[in-house]
Amino acid sequence: MTHNNNEPMLEMFVFETLQLMDQLEQSLISSEKDSGFDLTINEIFRIMHTVKGSAAMMMYDNISELAHSIEDLFFYLREEKPDKIDTTEITDIVLDGVDFIKNEVSKIQNGFTSNENASGLIKKINDILINIKKLNTSSKSKLDTNYVKENNNDQKFYISSENVNKSKGEYKYEAHLKFAEECEMENIRAFSVIHDLKEVANITYYYPENVIDNDTSCEIIQKEGFKIEFMTDLSLEMVKDRLSHTLFLDKLEVYLKNDDEIEKFETDQIYNNDLYNEKNQIKEVKEIFLDDFEDKHKDNNKPVLNNQISKKTVVPSGKQSVISVNIGKLDMLMDLVGELVISEAMVTQNPDLIGLQLDSFHKAARQLNKITNELQDVVMSIRMVPLSSTFQKMNRIVRDMSKKLNKSVELKILGEETEVDKNIIERISDPLIHIIRNSIDHGIEETSERKEKGKSPLGNLVLEAKNAGGDVWIIIKDDGRGLDKEKILIKARENGLINKPEDELSDDEIYSFIFKPGFSTKEKISEFSGRGVGMDIVVKNIEMVGGTVQVNSAPGEGTTISIKFPLTLAIIDGMTVLVGESRYTIPTISIKESFKIKNESIIEDNNGNLMIMVRGQAYPILKLHKYYNINTKITDIKDGIIVMIENNSRILCVFADALLGEQQVVVKPLPKYIEKAKGIAGCTLLGDGNISLILDVAKIFMTF
Amino acid sequence: MSDILQTLFDSEEDTQKDKHLTFIIGKEIYGIEIRHVTEIIGIQKITEIPEMPDYVKGIINLRGKIIPVIDVRLRFKKEPMEYNDRTCIVVVDIKDFSVGLIVDSVSEVVSIPENDIVDPPDVSTGYSNKYIRGIGKIGDDVKLLIDCNKLINDEDCEKLIQV
Amino acid sequence: MKRILVADDAAFMRASLKLMLEKNGYEVVGEAENGMVAFNKYKEIEPDIVTMDITMPICDGIKAVRMIKEYDKNAKIIMISSMGQECFVKDAVLAGAKGFIVKPFKEDIVLNALSKL
């Protein structure tokens, strides 16, 4: 059965496989650091086993085969514990495998076919395995024989003791069994029959004789069936009944053999059921699997293994109390709660209630308000996700980069348990990768250079997350050569970015030039960073989820890039103002004060720009109706209100018609179709059902 | 309008084939494939978004969902008209986002089999021509069938995003 | 209606089996992501049949079969195995599993196996 048209199964496959790949990547990198797979081997083996099975079910043979080859490799490592292995080589190849699977799965996720051929990778993995086997051929075969002996003891133990001493042997039977074509592992099925009969019979002979250890037994049983002779007290009916319960039995013949006189009793065609009506169709599918398996079957001369899984199982994944939820549902829940908050306001602040004496209504309303607030908090907290998996991904980036650039860099992760809104998680990964690549490529020096400068040869990179006030900070700090102010200035001059006297530029202002489009001081474009897309894209990505970026640097000591996010994006405190018919909401966090003009003096410059004097300081005025070209009757500064907003220590006075009030609003993104409107961060629904546009204060400062 | 809605929601995936919702702009009758249409609502309060092309009227609150609305009249470079009680917003779902189309009025749901649809004439008969994917014939009637994708995602869309 | 406990560490596999079984008149009364949970759930819900993956974290399927069989020697357990796991399957049979299915499996294979129990 294929699930290819089965959306939920596909979604699940994609989700689980990607999750497992991330987990695997982390295990690999930590193994490499600890220089050995001792602690993670079981986990890696299990992950590949799971992926192999799931991918085969979904008929993604390329993924399944690749997973199988890695599984084989780790199977050998686990069972044989070879001493002579190249951890880095194995890590490299398995990481390549992880990349391959990730890539294919994301193709599948996006509705494309997974068509990449894995055979090259598989061959490399097999070669490594062969090589390891060659290097480690010590007295391993001893283990096998030991095991077999041990196992024989086991065998006795598991036969129910009550039957062992009973006399078995009044009648002699011969049984022929054939198994269904698709059942696989015929030898084990035969073994299972032997095991079952041992409880009630003395087995005198069976063919093929060595069902387990002989590789050809499978084929023989498949073609000729399995023959077994035994002595028992059971009647023919009972024997037949017992054997007919064997799984995937296609054909069963039981003969009673007494004193050489063979009495054939019955031929049963058991497996002729309706399920196989569509046999042809099923066969087609089957062939795909069979090819696959037969090959592997021949190749693998596998050592017999000990069934006790090593006790060193690490990373307990028994997250029984955690479930995964579709993000779409979470968004929907968020939307609904947002609406609930609005509806509640519409009921409790309904104009019809004005002037009525409604004590018990208000009491009930307060209770409702309390519950909606709590519900809102809970829903918000559900959306909060720890940064750990995003941070852990950076280990891979650092590993790959430092290997390729031949620099030694250590990544230190702090505060990965810090939680942020899931929207941030989705968007933060690429900017972080970019910043970290920049740090290693341009910031951290070669080992020799570091030694000359008297620094520790190992470059240090710190990735830190922390909560401060209402914000989350993500800080990337390196101890490299720092930003070169002179180079930045030259480049800024070339690009005409400097719009005031250079000696008035503060360090911060100079450094922030690196966030401008097309800005790269590095002449040589390396494989990892540069390449035209610069820090401006990073900044853009971060701003898209409401974050801001700052850069700090000291020559020779390193660079620190700090990203600030509001703790949660979905609900903000805002002040809503009216301009003509339109409503705009300004985040309270950016507001310094709001007031009506009384005696403050208004200054107009030559270009018609207005300034206002407040407490001896002049501030520019932004008339919203002019900025957005909105029709309104209120155009005179004295008739409306002023909201003073602040961003990065710049201050601007926004002029609007009237103040509508201050409240918590649920931020909704503008529809994709509209994408980014000038200076608008999103929109929100007000209690009266009107839509208000939320101002993007940072953007307004940039465009004003 | 309610019976149109009924037809809309009665129709299952396969019976939706060939079905078109027709609407009127000026004297012309246009049709769009029913599978794109999710809902028809009366005109309602539209929140303007600054600095959009004139035909992007703004956004509306559709039961908590914010969707953009386009005036099809203006999109076709026809004269603007006051909205009245016959003005409708046809909500269509295209490539995972919803857009409301403002039309003069909706008319009916008709079945136009693929072989009754002919290619639009090569001669440019008006600005709206490039959004027409075919001309549907029902008896002597002619309906201009709109390519929803083009209507919404045409090059103008690029400009929108750059704003 | 036969009540089934599905033990597999892969949520995808559990869901696949559940889908197949419930479509065909079986009731999946429990799911377990490792052998320990499977054993605990077995005691708690006493299902008619258990489908048991072999490779699972914390406690593998074979150990789980042993524990369950010790608790209830009539327990009907079907192993869900893969090619290459012959040795494990053998151990599972020795431990008392009624039979086994080989991944990747088709719906009719699963139904056929269950119908024999």
Side-chain angles (χ1 to χ4, degrees):
Chain A
M1 151 167 198
T2 117
H3 292 294
N4 282 352
N5 298 322
N6 208 325
E7 278 293 327
M9 292 315 301
L10 188 67
E11 205 174 283
M12 195 143 195
F13 168 75
V14 167
F15 175 78
E16 194 169 58
T17 308
L18 290 179
Q19 204 178 35
L20 287 171
M21 285 303 105
D22 281 347
Q23 202 183 331
L24 178 59
E25 200 169 81
Q26 282 174 35
S27 302
L28 283 168
I29 288 164
S30 73
S31 305
E32 193 187 31
K33 269 192 202 150
D34 305 342
S35 57
F37 294 107
D38 295 0
L39 295 170
T40 47
I41 196 157
N42 278 314
E43 192 192 357
I44 296 171
F45 174 78
R46 208 175 49 238
I47 288 173
M48 288 333 288
H49 181 79
T50 300
V51 170
K52 179 189 78 174
S54 306
M57 289 289 285
M58 299 296 288
M59 311 247 256
Y60 297 121
D61 291 350
N62 52 350
I63 297 175
S64 175
E65 281 164 25
L66 175 61
H68 193 158
S69 67
I70 299 174
E71 185 195 347
D72 281 351
L73 175 63
F74 277 83
F75 177 83
Y76 183 82
L77 297 183
R78 187 176 78 175
E79 295 309 318
E80 299 294 312
K81 302 184 181 59
D83 320 312
K84 294 165 204 145
I85 56 165
D86 181 346
T87 315
T88 314
E89 185 190 30
I90 295 172
T91 308
D92 276 344
I93 193 78
V94 178
L95 282 176
D96 283 349
V98 169
D99 289 346
F100 179 92
I101 294 172
K102 274 189 178 174
N103 199 13
E104 291 307 295
V105 171
S106 59
K107 273 191 207 164
I108 294 163
Q109 187 176 25
N110 295 316
F112 299 105
T113 26
S114 162
N115 49 9
E116 207 68 39
N117 191 332
S119 54
L121 256 178
I122 293 172
K123 191 176 176 300
K124 275 191 207 161
I125 294 166
N126 289 341
D127 288 348
I128 290 176
L129 179 57
I130 291 166
N131 208 12
I132 294 174
K133 280 183 182 166
K134 241 187 254 162
L135 284 171
N136 295 277
T137 42
S138 47
S139 54
K140 289 298 180 191
S141 53
K142 198 176 67 199
L143 196 138
D144 296 358
T145 39
N146 276 349
Y147 172 72
V148 172
K149 267 186 212 149
E150 218 176 279
N151 201 47
N152 282 341
N153 294 337
D154 279 4
Q155 206 162 319
K156 273 179 201 139
F157 178 76
Y158 287 107
I159 295 171
S160 332
S161 53
E162 43 194 307
N163 292 325
V164 169
N165 297 324
K166 260 192 192 171
S167 79
K168 293 169 195 160
E170 206 182 319
Y171 307 108
K172 188 174 185 184
Y173 294 96
E174 182 182 328
H176 288 198
L177 295 91
K178 272 204 101 166
F179 297 104
E181 277 178 60
E182 287 85 352
C183 75
E184 319 271 8
M185 290 193 205
E186 287 79 0
N187 55 340
I188 310 288
R189 302 207 180 269
F191 173 80
S192 169
V193 171
I194 300 170
H195 176 68
D196 183 55
L197 277 176
K198 267 187 184 157
E199 286 188 23
V200 292
N202 264 327
I203 292 156
T204 51
Y205 169 78
Y206 48 83
Y207 179 82
E209 282 178 340
N210 198 350
V211 282
I212 297 292
D213 302 325
N214 187 347
D215 282 350
T216 55
S217 62
C218 253
E219 265 174 73
I220 298 172
I221 300 170
Q222 223 172 59
K223 286 196 192 113
E224 301 168 23
F226 178 62
K227 198 166 89 183
I228 182 165
E229 283 177 19
F230 51 92
M231 309 278 290
T232 180
D233 296 334
L234 298 180
S235 72
L236 180 71
E237 277 310 308
M238 285 157 85
V239 168
K240 235 184 68 195
D241 181 62
R242 189 167 187 110
L243 287 174
S244 68
H245 279 90
T246 310
L247 262 50
F248 302 107
L249 197 58
D250 192 17
K251 210 169 162 191
L252 170 69
E253 290 172 10
V254 187
Y255 309 93
L256 181 59
K257 277 175 125 183
N258 265 345
D259 303 330
D260 298 330
E261 186 192 323
I262 299 171
E263 207 178 325
K264 182 173 175 180
F265 263 76
E266 233 167 310
T267 305
D268 276 356
Q269 184 80 32
I270 290 172
Y271 202 65
N272 66 343
N273 50 47
D274 323 358
L275 290 165
Y276 273 69
N277 279 345
E278 301 158 291
K279 206 155 188 169
N280 287 338
Q281 186 204 331
I282 288 161
K283 254 191 180 156
E284 261 178 286
V285 181
K286 189 201 75 193
E287 276 159 14
I288 303 169
F289 296 132
L290 278 185
D291 288 350
D292 177 11
F293 290 133
E294 274 165 5
D295 287 347
K296 279 172 193 157
H297 216 67
K298 280 171 208 148
D299 291 349
N300 295 339
N301 197 356
K302 276 187 181 162
V304 186
L305 51 114
N306 189 330
N307 62 40
Q308 295 290 316
I309 287 206
S310 153
K311 286 188 184 80
K312 279 183 254 161
T313 318
V314 211
V315 190
S317 55
K319 298 170 193 159
Q320 299 162 41
S321 55
V322 177
I323 56 160
S324 26
V325 182
N326 185 309
I327 279 179
K329 286 188 187 163
L330 221 54
D331 284 341
M332 207 154 66
L333 182 62
M334 187 67 214
D335 280 352
L336 283 171
V337 171
E339 269 173 68
L340 182 67
V341 172
I342 292 156
S343 309
E344 184 221 321
M346 282 164 86
V347 173
T348 54
Q349 296 160 27
N350 199 300
D352 292 357
L353 303 172
I354 293 166
L356 297 178
Q357 182 71 27
L358 299 163
D359 289 345
S360 76
F361 173 85
H362 286 304
K363 202 178 156 201
R366 269 197 303 278
Q367 180 64 13
L368 176 64
N369 181 266
K370 193 175 149 251
I371 293 169
T372 37
N373 282 344
E374 276 169 20
L375 182 62
Q376 199 176 312
D377 287 348
V378 172
V379 173
M380 299 309 294
S381 72
I382 292 174
R383 293 167 54 92
M384 301 295 276
V385 190
L387 278 160
S388 45
S389 70
T390 312
F391 274 21
Q392 288 301 335
K393 269 193 219 158
M394 301 307 146
N395 277 318
R396 173 78 189 274
I397 308 295
V398 172
R399 174 194 183 269
D400 287 0
M401 280 286 289
S402 43
K403 251 194 100 178
K404 292 240 167 95
L405 296 171
N406 212 5
K407 294 178 178 179
S408 22
V409 181
E410 192 184 36
L411 176 68
K412 201 167 160 196
I413 291 176
L414 298 171
E416 58 175 325
E417 68 286 344
T418 309
E419 293 188 332
V420 294
D421 192 279
K422 60 129 183 117
N423 275 330
I424 295 180
I425 291 277
E426 279 163 18
R427 296 280 182 84
I428 190 69
S429 184
D430 286 348
L432 279 184
I433 291 174
H434 203 97
I435 292 170
I436 285 176
R437 283 182 170 171
N438 261 319
S439 284
I440 300 177
D441 199 5
H442 305 319
I444 291 174
E445 311 91 332
E446 311 260 329
T447 315
S448 54
E449 193 183 334
R450 291 181 67 89
K451 277 185 189 151
E452 268 169 42
K453 286 182 181 166
K455 289 181 175 181
S456 88
L458 191 66
N460 285 296
L461 198 59
V462 179
L463 178 58
E464 183 184 4
K466 62 181 178 192
N467 279 306
D471 302 314
V472 177
W473 289 85
I474 297 175
I475 298 158
I476 305 103
K477 190 173 167 187
D478 68 54
D479 65 348
R481 53 174 76 95
L483 294 172
D484 188 332
K485 255 198 278 180
E486 276 312 306
K487 268 193 186 167
I488 294 173
L489 272 175
I490 293 167
K491 195 88 183 177
R493 255 175 253 141
E494 279 173 19
N495 289 340
L497 295 171
I498 304 171
N499 49 11
K500 62 172 163 178
E502 276 181 33
D503 49 358
E504 282 177 28
L505 284 171
S506 68
D507 283 1
D508 278 357
E509 280 170 309
I510 295 170
Y511 292 141
S512 60
F513 284 133
I514 65 166
F515 299 136
K516 298 285 183 206
F519 202 91
S520 171
T521 58
K522 186 100 175 173
E523 255 90 287
K524 198 179 68 194
I525 287 170
S526 77
E527 185 191 344
F528 295 103
S529 44
R531 220 198 301 235
V533 281
M535 291 290 284
D536 58 314
I537 303 293
V538 170
V539 176
K540 217 175 194 171
N541 269 321
I542 290 167
E543 282 177 349
M544 254 156 100
V545 279
T548 52
V549 191
Q550 282 171 22
V551 60
N552 249 304
S553 187
E557 284 171 31
T559 307
T560 305
I561 291 176
S562 315
I563 305 168
K564 185 178 84 172
F565 287 112
L567 190 58
T568 170
L569 301 162
I571 293 191
I572 58 160
D573 285 311
M575 190 176 268
T576 303
V577 297
L578 189 72
V579 185
E581 289 273 286
S582 304
R583 287 153 180 84
Y584 291 88
T585 299
I586 305 166
T588 310
I589 203 158
S590 319
I591 298 177
K592 274 184 84 79
E593 56 183 310
S594 62
F595 51 87
K596 264 190 106 73
I597 300 272
K598 287 179 205 129
N599 306 316
E600 293 84 353
S601 49
I602 309 290
I603 313 150
E604 193 170 344
D605 70 8
N606 303 339
N607 303 325
N609 296 323
L610 292 177
M611 307 276 274
I612 182 170
M613 291 292 292
V614 182
R615 293 180 289 272
Q617 288 272 5
Y619 301 109
I621 294 177
L622 173 91
K623 287 182 168 179
L624 268 187
H625 72 269
K626 268 197 175 163
Y627 186 72
Y628 283 137
N629 205 8
I630 301 164
N631 278 329
T632 178
K633 284 176 193 130
I634 299 167
T635 52
D636 190 337
I637 292 283
K638 293 217 159 43
D639 297 336
I641 54 122
I642 293 283
V643 181
M644 195 187 269
I645 58 174
E646 184 183 19
N647 182 266
N648 281 339
S649 60
R650 280 175 72 195
I651 288 174
L652 187 62
C653 290
V654 172
F655 173 74
D657 296 8
L659 203 63
L660 288 179
E662 202 178 339
Q663 75 221 87
Q664 279 206 324
V665 296
V666 182
V667 181
K668 288 171 178 263
L670 283 176
K672 264 193 216 160
Y673 187 58
I674 288 172
E675 210 69 29
K676 283 260 149 180
K678 174 176 151 190
I680 305 286
C683 57
T684 188
L685 293 174
L686 299 176
D688 56 7
N690 275 309
I691 302 173
S692 176
L693 302 175
I694 299 167
L695 293 185
D696 185 335
V697 171
K699 277 277 157 59
I700 287 181
F701 274 98
M702 275 162 67
T703 52
F704 176 65
Chain B
M1 203 165 80
S2 62
D3 48 326
I4 293 175
L5 283 180
Q6 203 54 48
T7 329
L8 265 182
F9 298 121
D10 281 353
S11 41
E12 304 247 325
E13 199 59 44
D14 51 331
T15 61
Q16 282 190 11
K17 199 175 170 285
D18 300 333
K19 291 248 165 68
H20 288 75
L21 173 75
T22 60
F23 57 83
I24 297 162
I25 288 171
K27 288 180 198 133
E28 255 96 40
I29 302 176
Y30 295 88
I32 49 174
E33 286 171 86
I34 233 64
R35 64 188 171 91
H36 291 308
V37 180
T38 52
E39 182 163 7
I40 303 162
I41 50 176
I43 195 76
Q44 51 175 279
K45 196 178 155 132
I46 299 170
T47 302
E48 246 183 84
I49 304 280
E51 305 194 328
M52 287 286 135
D54 62 343
Y55 61 85
V56 177
K57 299 307 282 185
I59 49 182
I60 58 166
N61 169 12
L62 184 65
R63 293 185 308 276
K65 210 173 140 194
I66 309 285
I67 64 167
V69 286
I70 292 175
D71 190 320
V72 181
R73 210 169 228 286
L74 298 178
R75 185 77 169 109
F76 289 168
K77 303 270 186 244
K78 292 179 192 291
E79 283 301 299
M81 194 183 82
E82 281 275 300
Y83 298 149
N84 56 36
D85 58 350
R86 283 165 51 80
T87 310
C88 279
I89 300 176
V90 179
V91 182
V92 294
D93 244 350
I94 306 237
K95 287 190 188 157
D96 72 330
F97 65 89
S98 298
V99 177
L101 304 175
I102 303 172
V103 299
D104 289 4
S105 63
V106 294
S107 125
E108 57 181 340
V109 174
V110 291
S111 185
I112 310 174
E114 207 52 45
N115 47 11
D116 284 345
I117 298 174
V118 296
D119 288 342
D122 280 342
V123 222
S124 183
T125 50
Y127 186 83
S128 55
N129 207 26
K130 66 176 177 181
Y131 306 117
I132 305 295
R133 74 176 175 95
I135 292 168
K137 291 182 294 187
I138 301 177
D140 293 337
D141 272 357
V142 170
K143 326 238 181 226
L144 304 168
L145 305 183
I146 288 179
D147 184 332
C148 265
N149 261 323
K150 272 198 189 153
L151 183 76
I152 290 160
N153 295 321
D154 209 38
E155 68 269 25
D156 299 60
C157 186
E158 296 293 307
K159 279 182 216 146
L160 271 188
I161 290 163
Q162 282 161 17
V163 167
Chain C
M1 194 190 270
K2 288 259 173 76
R3 298 160 68 250
I4 319 252
L5 170 65
V6 175
D8 200 313
D9 59 331
F12 166 79
M13 274 297 166
R14 293 200 299 271
S16 290
L17 270 166
K18 194 178 156 98
L19 196 79
M20 288 179 186
L21 295 175
E22 295 195 335
K23 216 164 66 184
N24 291 285
Y26 291 93
E27 186 191 0
V28 174
V29 286
E31 294 183 28
E33 66 277 11
N34 67 50
M36 197 59 79
V37 176
F39 176 60
N40 292 336
K41 288 228 166 130
Y42 188 90
K43 286 190 290 188
E44 182 191 322
I45 53 188
E46 305 215 327
D48 298 319
I49 298 170
V50 184
T51 71
M52 180 80 71
D53 185 29
I54 291 181
T55 320
M56 287 189 284
I58 299 167
C59 166
D60 66 36
I62 294 158
K63 277 190 223 159
V65 171
R66 288 197 189 123
M67 291 192 295
I68 292 174
K69 287 300 269 193
E70 198 171 287
Y71 171 80
D72 173 5
K73 71 178 168 61
N74 294 319
K76 290 174 180 161
I77 307 170
I78 285 200
M79 306 309 288
I80 308 290
S81 65
S82 320
M83 289 309 290
Q85 287 192 319
E86 282 84 351
C87 303
F88 289 120
V89 176
K90 199 183 101 193
D91 287 337
V93 167
L94 289 172
K98 284 279 173 197
F100 59 95
I101 295 168
V102 182
K103 280 189 278 196
F105 45 79
K106 286 164 269 153
E107 192 169 303
D108 50 357
I109 291 277
V110 179
L111 296 178
N112 183 276
L114 290 182
S115 67
K116 286 289 183 61
L117 293 180

